[in-house]
Amino acid sequence: YESVMQGAEVSPGTMLSLLNHQLYHSTPMEKYATLFLAIYDGETRRLTYSNAGHLPPLLLGEDGSCCRLHHGGTVVGLFDEVPYAEDTGHLRPGDIFLAYSDGVTEPENDFGEFGEERLVSIVQENRDLPLARISEVVTAAVDDWIGAAEQPDDVTLALARVR
């Protein structure tokens, strides 16, 4: 893996391949993880990323656009020598990066799942608020959706706004 090390400091795909190799050889066979890894250059607004089986984060534009960051590969740690594709995008001022756990979109009530569409709608409607407030609004909406039922999973959000 020495040849793979070259360029690993700037390549999310290479870093995920190395991590996968290490986890595959150092953990029990049934253990694995999902992971999204990105490098962001604030000067050029360039995001280079690779996704290892995680729910694809979203880029939400001020114009209402929604882009899924899905390039990558499977989970890390389950199979050896897995390649991870990566992609690069140029972000625009005002874009919101939104990563989330399945505890945000999968909770159900009598009307069905909370869902990604509802999540995107809430973030877009509140996009001018501070990010911490957007997170509170989403968390409250998920809590309201669940009602008295027990929360089945963690509710995790990661938000960033491009300047």
Side-chain angles (χ1 to χ4, degrees):
Y1 270 92
E2 195 167 309
S3 63
V4 177
M5 291 298 287
Q6 197 72 19
E9 68 279 359
V10 294
S11 171
T14 300
M15 284 192 271
L16 286 181
S17 291
L18 289 168
L19 176 63
N20 177 70
H21 178 76
Q22 291 300 319
L23 288 175
Y24 180 80
H25 289 284
S26 65
T27 60
M29 272 182 9
E30 69 279 0
K31 298 292 184 184
Y32 66 91
T34 67
L35 177 69
F36 177 85
L37 181 61
I39 298 170
Y40 180 66
D41 182 335
E43 284 185 29
T44 62
R45 295 190 187 100
R46 187 175 133 165
L47 181 80
T48 303
Y49 75 90
S50 187
N51 192 344
H54 195 68
L55 289 171
L58 306 170
L59 281 179
L60 306 176
E62 285 188 304
D63 60 359
S65 63
C66 178
C67 174
R68 272 179 197 75
L69 303 179
H70 59 83
H71 287 87
T74 190
V75 299
V76 289
L78 205 53
F79 308 103
D80 198 10
E81 299 187 31
V82 175
Y84 290 88
E86 61 185 48
D87 196 18
T88 299
H90 292 278
L91 283 58
R92 298 165 300 198
D95 283 355
I96 292 179
F97 170 88
L98 168 62
Y100 56 94
S101 65
D102 57 8
V104 175
T105 53
E106 290 183 358
E108 293 187 18
N109 65 18
D110 292 341
F111 301 100
E113 275 192 346
F114 186 81
E116 183 185 280
E117 190 176 319
R118 190 178 322 277
L119 170 63
V120 168
S121 178
I122 291 170
V123 174
Q124 288 288 36
E125 288 168 12
N126 294 281
R127 67 177 300 115
D128 295 329
L129 296 177
L131 297 177
R133 183 69 189 119
I134 295 172
S135 185
E136 290 170 2
V137 169
V138 169
T139 303
V142 171
D143 287 345
D144 288 348
W145 188 258
I146 295 168
E150 186 180 332
Q151 173 60 30
D153 210 345
D154 69 298
V155 174
T156 305
L157 288 171
L159 293 160
R161 184 179 285 122
V162 180
R163 294 188 197 167

